[in-house]
Amino acid sequence: SDMYNHRIQRWKPGATVGITAAGGNGFGNGQSQLEEPGKIDIDSQGNLYIADTGNNRIQKWEYGGLSGTTVAGGNGLGKGLNQLHNPFGIAVDKFGAIYISELSNHRVTKWNPGDSEGEIVAGGNGEGSGANQLAIPMGVAVNKNGDVYIADRTGGKIHKFSAFNTP
């Protein structure tokens, strides 16, 4: 993720120059543009999922595509379950569900394919160190068993939540 150039670069082993895989069309919110992209993930078909942080949305770019499709958020920044606020970390599970860490909402949401809103899987109760709180969750990962791991910046902790996947 090349955050301040508003693009995603692909580097082949041994290459001295990267290839723009997504964005690179200037700063903006068009389907072929990104604004300060955060983390990325790639599904089993090679599709690229981008936490388009500045646009408060998740973009899916099919392999080789010239533009993306908004698959989560895109409804302005906010706390609603159809909104995101500074999405940064992202993970896609084997069923295509997207897990998103939101820096400013202090939560992680799960968006199943085709959903118009997410469900909270961790946090969402204000910034803090309580058992039901997160404090600036930076990263999220999901393993093949459906366990979700969250890197919580302020507390310097890694949280594990077991098996959110459903076939």
Side-chain angles (χ1 to χ4, degrees):
S1 178
D2 189 0
M3 181 176 259
Y4 299 113
N5 285 314
H6 315 290
R7 64 185 180 178
I8 306 299
Q9 293 290 94
R10 178 181 298 128
W11 291 79
K12 293 183 179 183
T16 57
V17 177
I19 299 165
T20 300
N25 298 304
F27 171 97
N29 63 3
Q31 293 300 327
S32 66
Q33 296 176 305
L34 299 170
E35 182 180 332
E36 298 183 359
K39 306 290 184 183
I40 63 169
D41 200 5
I42 300 172
D43 69 14
S44 60
Q45 289 80 40
N47 298 312
L48 183 62
Y49 291 79
I50 305 164
D52 191 6
T53 305
N55 285 316
N56 299 294
R57 65 184 181 182
I58 304 302
Q59 291 292 93
K60 176 183 176 181
W61 286 61
E62 293 186 9
Y63 184 80
L66 299 176
S67 65
T69 303
T70 301
V71 293
N75 299 304
L77 70 87
K79 293 183 183 213
L81 290 176
N82 69 337
Q83 297 176 304
L84 300 173
H85 193 177
N86 291 325
F88 192 75
I90 185 170
V92 180
D93 72 14
K94 64 185 177 182
F95 301 108
I98 305 165
Y99 294 81
I100 306 162
S101 66
E102 299 176 58
L103 302 177
S104 297
N105 279 333
H106 310 288
R107 68 184 184 189
V108 171
T109 51
K110 175 185 176 184
W111 295 64
N112 289 306
D115 281 358
S116 60
E117 61 181 40
E119 64 179 285
I120 296 173
V121 297
N125 297 299
E127 181 177 5
S129 59
N132 66 345
Q133 294 178 303
L134 296 172
I136 311 175
M138 297 292 291
V140 62
V142 61
N143 68 16
K144 66 181 179 179
N145 299 322
D147 300 323
V148 177
Y149 296 85
I150 301 166
D152 204 5
R153 178 179 153 186
T154 302
K157 299 176 187 175
I158 302 293
H159 302 275
K160 177 184 176 186
F161 297 88
S162 296
F164 281 94
N165 287 346
T166 53

